[in-house]
Amino acid sequence: MLSTQNARIRSFKVVPSLPEPLKPLLPIARNLWWTWHPEAVELFHRLDAAMWRETHHNPVKMLGNLPQQTLDAAAADEGFLNSLQHVTNNLARHLDRVPWLKKAHNVDNDFTIAYFCTEFGLTECLQIYSGGLGCLAGDHLKSASELGMPLVAIGFLYRNGYFQQYLNADGWQQEYNPELDFANLPVEKVKGTEGEFKDKQIRIRVQMPGREIQVGLWKCTVGRIRLFLLDTNLPENSDEDRAITSQLYGGDMEMRIKQEIVLGIGGVHALSAMGIEPDVCHMNEGHSAFLALERIRRLIEKHDLTFDQARVQASASHVFTTHTPVPAGIDRFPPEMVTRYFKDYVSSLKLDMEGLLALGRENVYNTKEMFSMAVLAIRTADWANGVSKLHGHVSRDMWKPIWPGVPDTEIPIGHVTNGVHARSWLSGDMIMMLDRYLGNRWQADPADHAVWEAVNDIPDEEIWRVHERRRQHLILWARRRLTKQLEARGVSHDEIIATTEELNPSALTIGFARRFATYKRGTLMFRDPERLMTMLENQDRPMQFLIAGKAHPADGGGKDLIRQIVQFARDSKAGHRIVFLENYDIHVARYLVQGCDIWLNTPRRGMEASGTSGMKAALNGVLNCSILDGWWDEAYADEGSDVGWAIGRGENYSNLDHADEIESRALMDLLDKQIMPMFYDRDRLGLPRRWIARMKMCIAKLAPVYNTNRMVQDYAEQFYIPALQRTRLLRENKLAKTIELDEIKRKLRGAWGTLAITDVMADTSRAVDVHQALTVKTKVQLGKLTPNDVRVELFYGPLDNDGNIADGQVVGFKHLESTGDNQHVYEASVTADTSGRFGFAVRITPGHPLMTDIVEPGMILWDKAPTAPKSKRASSASPA
């Protein structure tokens, strides 16, 4: 290899040389639209199936490597050219379709949403993802393209991506990090059209302590969506800084804060350098939360605002999605580290360092508290959500100290349940069958859920034949992959044959594939090995497990779970029916979710924010058997056992070992007494009618709901459009409403301590009939405020056994009179629809119309109570 120290190397680009009739292949290859259109994939497969596999399904690399005679033959093949024209026309139609916002809400695409995420799982050849978060982000972009959303995205182009996995002879995970070949990936440099970067890659600069680093911009096209990728691997940077975009989730805390500065602050710089000024920014997890600081800084610089004024404007346009159900899963940095990285930046925010650090604390007064990226995101975003109904509850409970005194149900964190992109995860066979029986409306009109009812009209024989074909494909593929794994471990040829041939294409096949973290309990099924072995050895009802997943390189506990599985399979008489498939990625996931019969998920309840792999399986008629957590908690609650099985009833246990024992037994009972008998209950035609009925219900009920088209629509309706409307309102007349809202907040904050609820009057000595009104009067001292500044409210509802209002509602008091000295009398009436034990409490909240949808930390006053009903955690106040 020639070193650049010895000679100056000048680079040039080599591109595939295609015959004229095949030129349309290049724009198809470079637009990841092909990843969810089987007819486009088939074009490349037809050219050379072996090379398609060898290039890891990378059409750009493949077109550059194909022999000229292959290309010439295709250029003369009329059938191939007709298929190419068909695909080209489909892509053109996709790019030109009328946006969903215009059709559904008459909203023009005259605004821009910027979607920030640290990873994007789009296709297996672009290894810039690790797992669920990345695949969710990739599916978000695909659905945004299908819906015609005005969205751009920001992420990283990692030089080494996420680690690749293999197992040693003992079953212990090993990692390696191959370099990505950017020149042969479906990405391209973003080049300028004028000025410094005319015809050159655009670069932006990001400040680090004592230095400035350069970041190059790349673009990946996903249908109609542009994904911009940041790259610090430039010769102008030091080796230390070039490594910032080397690995996903690699390195230490120091590396993580540098990555997140580049993603957040650098991402805003990058968009600006391309002339994109987003109206709404969506932070998908807290990794990109520093973007809020940069957008605030720019508003201060442009409009000469104070920090608080700029934060009011910026926060209105920020959406934050948390995917983490425990505080330990959030990126947090020591205060001294944040101080070191932001000491030269903080003055541009018109803020001191203590004010900046307070933005990342739950308790702003605890100067030793770690700086949390999630808290920073929450404090700088007016819109926040979890990723399932249950996760919304968990998130509100986790972050309620930020809003002291606010009832749990009013904590301003909603939920948008995740989904998956249907066309990306459905098998080609399933897509063709759905097209035959549902028409094209299931794809063209994703908002029409009724179209999925036609799944019930599919003949049992046909849907079962499609499913059996997918299972057979899965087993044949698994045999090939397992053969390579065992050869690499030095296993003998005879043992490989014996092991792979035991995989049965007709057996009940259970899939378990996910990140191997201890809370996901990948070995729950092995707690009773004797019972498991009895089931595995049953020749009349054969059962097999296909297992895949990676443990984080630093997670010894997760690695040990993998080792236990591999050793159990190796040492057990029926271990050949338990197969661990190495190097879990999109390619492996696609085979598993399309070909298994059961999708198994066994997390500790409350630890799985959503869990999208089960949704991918459900689209294909694979039945879920899962703990009631994440998405399955609400799916099973809505649809019941018609669509799968629940392990337990949603119990929570204080003794974790006891929980494992109970839920392991429940899982074994389901497999032994319900799942296997139903799967093998065949009629005279060999069809498992009851199983097929569940498959149909699974697809018909879950597919229209748990997909990213519905999810992106939810984000648009619940967050993007409201954020755009609030942002535009605050932006009008040279930010007049922004300045007004800031003044309102400052006035309230300064005078809140002068408020008092001096008396509450209601006749609670006698019972009230159902539907009979209870009248409540209250006297309040407004101190330095006026009745127009506040809302006096009655919070009421049924009481739980602890005397707390369990499911409260709010009724506004009517102002009756002023009694002098700024004392005021208010009145309200409430009724109960059912009998029982009810309670109420009086409170005061901000009353200005601009604060109707804003829950301001520290601005809620309860009658003689420092915290709201049910609130039990330590309080904190609003920072800055």
Side-chain angles (χ1 to χ4, degrees):
M1 181 176 70
L2 182 64
S3 169
T4 55
Q5 294 177 345
N6 300 327
R8 179 180 178 184
I9 298 177
R10 293 175 171 85
S11 66
F12 60 97
K13 186 175 182 179
V14 179
V15 297
S17 176
L18 300 180
E20 192 63 33
L22 300 186
K23 289 291 175 67
L25 279 172
L26 272 177
I28 294 171
R30 289 172 176 160
N31 189 325
L32 293 186
W33 172 88
W34 64 262
T35 62
W36 70 93
H37 286 84
E39 70 275 16
V41 172
E42 182 61 21
L43 287 176
F44 302 109
H45 191 267
R46 283 172 64 178
L47 284 171
D48 191 323
M51 187 175 289
W52 179 243
R53 290 192 297 269
E54 290 167 8
T55 58
H56 209 46
H57 304 163
N58 181 347
V60 174
K61 184 174 183 178
M62 178 179 172
L63 291 178
N65 290 345
L66 282 172
Q68 194 62 45
Q69 62 190 38
T70 300
L71 296 172
D72 290 340
D77 183 337
E78 187 172 337
F80 184 87
L81 295 180
N82 285 339
S83 297
L84 175 57
Q85 186 61 52
H86 174 71
V87 171
T88 300
N89 293 342
N90 284 348
L91 174 56
R93 279 193 292 270
H94 176 85
L95 298 177
D96 293 337
R97 68 168 57 179
V98 177
W100 165 77
L101 278 175
K102 182 65 176 177
K103 291 192 296 183
H105 296 280
N106 198 29
V107 174
D108 291 322
N109 281 13
D110 58 347
F111 65 102
T112 301
I113 304 154
Y115 182 90
F116 287 70
C117 191
T118 194
E119 55 172 305
F120 288 88
L122 292 157
T123 183
E124 52 266 33
C125 71
L126 188 57
Q127 292 280 341
I128 57 172
Y129 66 94
S130 70
L133 178 67
C135 289
L136 183 280
D139 284 6
H140 192 112
L141 301 194
K142 293 174 182 179
S143 281
S145 180
E146 290 194 332
L147 295 168
M149 296 293 293
L151 185 143
V152 298
I154 291 285
F156 284 124
L157 186 58
Y158 297 99
R159 181 178 182 179
N160 300 107
Y162 195 55
F163 76 89
Q164 305 298 294
Q165 176 202 55
Y166 68 96
L167 305 184
N168 65 18
D170 192 44
W172 194 259
Q173 173 180 292
Q174 307 292 307
E175 301 98 19
Y176 65 101
N177 298 93
E179 288 197 6
L180 301 186
D181 180 9
F182 295 172
N184 283 307
L185 287 173
V187 297
E188 57 183 312
K189 292 180 178 179
V190 179
K191 295 185 177 180
T193 57
E194 57 185 12
E196 177 185 4
F197 298 112
K198 181 176 174 59
D199 299 326
K200 298 178 182 177
Q201 184 184 29
I202 295 176
R203 297 183 180 186
I204 51 101
R205 292 172 171 81
V206 177
Q207 194 68 37
M208 292 287 173
R211 66 195 187 280
E212 194 176 60
I213 65 171
Q214 293 195 37
V215 183
L217 306 188
W218 297 76
K219 182 180 73 172
C220 175
T221 304
V222 186
R224 302 159 67 123
I225 305 300
R226 293 172 295 169
L227 166 59
F228 298 107
L229 301 168
L230 309 174
D231 172 25
T232 65
N233 184 31
L234 301 173
E236 292 82 0
N237 294 329
S238 66
D239 289 345
E240 174 189 352
D241 292 332
R242 294 180 73 161
I244 291 174
T245 57
S246 175
Q247 293 181 38
L248 171 61
Y249 305 139
D252 54 13
M253 193 180 292
E254 193 91 21
M255 176 60 75
R256 186 62 64 87
I257 195 171
K258 288 188 288 188
Q259 288 182 329
E260 295 182 0
I261 288 171
V262 171
L263 179 62
I265 296 176
V268 174
H269 285 329
L271 291 173
S272 180
M274 294 179 289
I276 300 171
E277 298 296 336
D279 299 275
V280 176
C281 286
H282 186 165
M283 297 176 270
N284 194 41
E285 256 309 349
H287 307 116
S288 61
F290 288 135
L291 74 83
L293 300 182
E294 178 59 19
R295 298 191 82 223
I296 289 169
R297 186 196 68 78
R298 287 169 177 253
L299 285 166
I300 291 171
E301 181 180 73
K302 182 177 181 180
H303 299 287
D304 192 26
L305 303 174
T306 67
F307 173 82
D308 286 334
Q309 289 169 340
R311 181 166 70 150
V312 164
Q313 171 67 49
S315 296
S317 65
H318 293 162
V319 178
F320 167 55
T321 297
T322 173
H323 295 257
T324 307
V326 290
I330 300 293
D331 281 346
R332 300 190 303 163
F333 302 111
E336 56 272 18
M337 180 179 287
V338 177
T339 299
R340 179 157 48 87
Y341 275 89
F342 285 89
K343 63 181 179 179
D344 297 326
Y345 184 91
V346 66
S347 61
S348 64
L349 296 173
K350 295 185 179 179
L351 198 62
D352 60 19
M353 184 55 70
E354 176 56 27
L356 173 60
L357 292 173
L359 288 168
R361 300 181 191 140
E362 287 186 53
N363 184 341
V364 298
Y365 302 115
N366 181 3
T367 58
K368 295 182 179 180
E369 186 178 318
M370 296 279 276
F371 185 93
S372 165
M373 295 298 286
V375 174
L376 173 64
I378 288 170
R379 292 200 185 277
T380 55
D382 282 354
W383 320 90
N385 69 282
V387 291
S388 68
K389 185 182 292 184
L390 179 60
H391 184 234
H393 290 299
V394 170
S395 298
R396 287 188 290 275
D397 185 64
M398 185 164 62
W399 301 119
K400 65 184 177 184
I402 295 174
W403 295 275
V406 176
D408 296 1
T409 54
E410 296 181 7
I411 298 295
I413 300 176
H415 81 274
V416 172
T417 300
N418 279 344
V420 296
H421 184 251
R423 286 189 61 101
S424 291
W425 298 104
L426 279 167
S427 71
D429 293 338
M430 187 68 74
I431 288 175
M432 288 189 289
M433 185 178 66
L434 292 176
D435 283 343
R436 282 197 300 275
Y437 290 95
L438 277 64
N440 70 341
R441 277 175 44 234
W442 73 275
Q443 300 182 59
D445 190 4
D448 183 4
H449 292 186
V451 68
W452 290 89
E453 295 173 4
V455 167
N456 293 305
D457 297 330
I458 300 173
D460 287 358
E461 296 84 351
E462 186 163 357
I463 195 170
W464 186 244
R465 187 165 60 246
V466 165
H467 179 66
E468 286 205 303
R469 188 158 57 242
R470 294 314 309 170
R471 191 189 322 110
Q472 291 163 3
H473 284 318
L474 167 62
I475 297 306
L476 291 174
W477 168 84
R479 285 175 177 173
R480 293 194 300 268
R481 194 172 184 95
L482 184 59
T483 296
K484 292 180 180 179
Q485 290 178 194
L486 297 178
E487 286 175 346
R489 288 186 217 162
V491 176
S492 69
H493 177 73
D494 290 344
E495 188 176 347
I496 290 173
I497 295 298
T499 300
T500 57
E501 287 188 350
E502 286 294 334
L503 281 175
N504 184 346
S506 300
L508 173 67
T509 302
I510 301 171
F512 181 95
R514 54 201 17 91
R515 181 167 60 90
F516 262 78
T518 52
Y519 78 84
K520 292 179 183 283
R521 301 189 296 181
T523 57
L524 190 67
M525 66 194 87
F526 301 118
R527 280 188 71 93
D528 187 348
E530 292 183 5
R531 186 176 183 186
L532 177 61
M533 288 301 300
T534 299
M535 295 164 65
L536 291 172
E537 291 174 339
N538 189 326
Q539 299 300 316
D540 296 325
R541 300 190 308 189
M543 177 178 71
Q544 57 199 2
F545 290 86
L546 297 183
I547 303 171
K550 297 177 178 178
H552 188 277
D555 184 4
K559 289 182 177 182
D560 190 57
L561 292 179
I562 296 173
R563 182 191 61 80
Q564 290 178 43
I565 292 171
V566 173
Q567 290 193 348
F568 182 91
R570 184 185 62 195
D571 299 338
S572 303
K573 289 185 293 183
H576 51 266
R577 291 190 174 170
I578 299 174
V579 171
F580 189 92
L581 298 165
E582 297 175 6
N583 211 27
Y584 184 44
D585 66 358
I586 287 176
H587 180 56
V588 176
R590 194 180 294 116
Y591 269 98
L592 289 172
V593 301
Q594 292 173 3
C596 287
D597 300 296
I598 288 289
W599 197 256
L600 183 62
N601 193 23
T602 55
R604 297 197 189 281
R605 190 168 192 267
M607 300 288 284
E608 187 92 282
S610 177
T612 52
S613 64
M615 301 176 190
K616 298 163 188 171
L619 287 173
N620 288 280
V622 176
L623 303 180
N624 277 261
C625 178
S626 175
I627 296 291
L628 289 172
D629 201 10
W631 82 284
W632 190 242
D633 182 70
E634 63 191 87
Y636 193 83
D638 291 341
E639 308 300 345
S641 59
D642 284 347
V643 296
W645 288 270
I647 304 170
R649 298 180 180 179
E651 301 90 347
N652 291 307
Y653 301 89
S654 56
N655 185 312
L656 298 184
D657 189 65
H658 183 56
D660 292 349
E661 181 64 30
I662 291 174
E663 291 174 343
S664 172
R665 194 181 308 126
L667 170 59
M668 291 295 105
D669 284 345
L670 285 174
L671 290 172
D672 193 22
K673 299 176 182 179
Q674 294 188 40
I675 293 173
M676 286 202 298
M678 184 182 294
F679 182 81
Y680 286 108
D681 178 20
R682 309 295 172 96
D683 67 6
R684 60 183 182 80
L685 297 178
L687 297 174
R689 298 285 182 177
R690 290 188 297 151
W691 190 278
I692 294 170
R694 286 204 183 198
M695 288 178 61
K696 289 183 179 181
M697 296 296 283
C698 175
I699 298 170
K701 290 184 176 182
L702 302 183
V705 178
Y706 297 98
N707 67 76
T708 43
N709 282 2
R710 185 274 311 155
M711 182 191 80
V712 173
Q713 289 170 339
D714 283 354
Y715 274 113
E717 292 170 343
Q718 295 182 36
F719 298 114
Y720 296 158
I721 295 175
L724 176 67
Q725 292 169 340
R726 182 180 295 175
T727 300
R728 286 178 170 173
L729 173 66
L730 296 177
R731 194 186 290 162
E732 289 175 357
N733 299 322
K734 298 181 180 179
L735 306 181
K737 293 292 185 183
T738 295
I739 295 169
E740 180 185 357
L741 179 53
D742 175 60
E743 290 175 348
I744 293 163
K745 288 186 177 185
R746 284 193 292 111
K747 176 183 177 181
L748 290 171
R749 196 174 296 124
W752 203 255
T754 67
L755 296 174
I757 299 169
T758 58
D759 197 7
V760 176
M761 299 153 282
D763 184 4
T764 58
S765 62
R766 60 182 180 83
V768 177
D769 292 339
V770 173
H771 302 307
Q772 180 183 356
L774 173 68
T775 298
V776 181
K777 288 187 178 181
T778 185
K779 290 182 180 180
V780 301
Q781 165 58 249
L782 295 185
K784 297 178 181 179
L785 299 175
T786 71
N788 290 331
D789 294 324
V790 299
R791 284 191 294 268
V792 182
E793 299 173 329
L794 193 70
F795 184 80
Y796 77 101
L799 296 180
D800 63 19
N801 291 333
D802 296 322
N804 294 315
I805 297 175
D807 188 15
Q809 301 179 58
V810 175
V811 170
F813 275 92
K814 179 182 178 182
H815 184 269
L816 291 184
E817 61 179 334
S818 172
T819 60
D821 196 26
N822 211 11
Q823 292 263 4
H824 299 264
V825 179
Y826 290 81
E827 182 180 82
S829 295
V830 295
T831 60
D833 295 331
T834 61
S835 61
R837 194 162 163 253
F838 284 75
F840 67 85
V842 177
R843 70 186 190 183
I844 302 176
T845 61
H848 194 281
L850 285 175
M851 296 192 69
T852 300
D853 298 326
I854 297 174
V855 181
E856 187 70 10
M859 290 190 191
I860 185 167
L861 177 69
W862 292 90
D863 171 34
K864 296 180 182 179
T867 56
K870 291 188 67 181
S871 183
K872 299 175 183 176
R873 291 174 60 174
S875 65
S876 61
S878 177

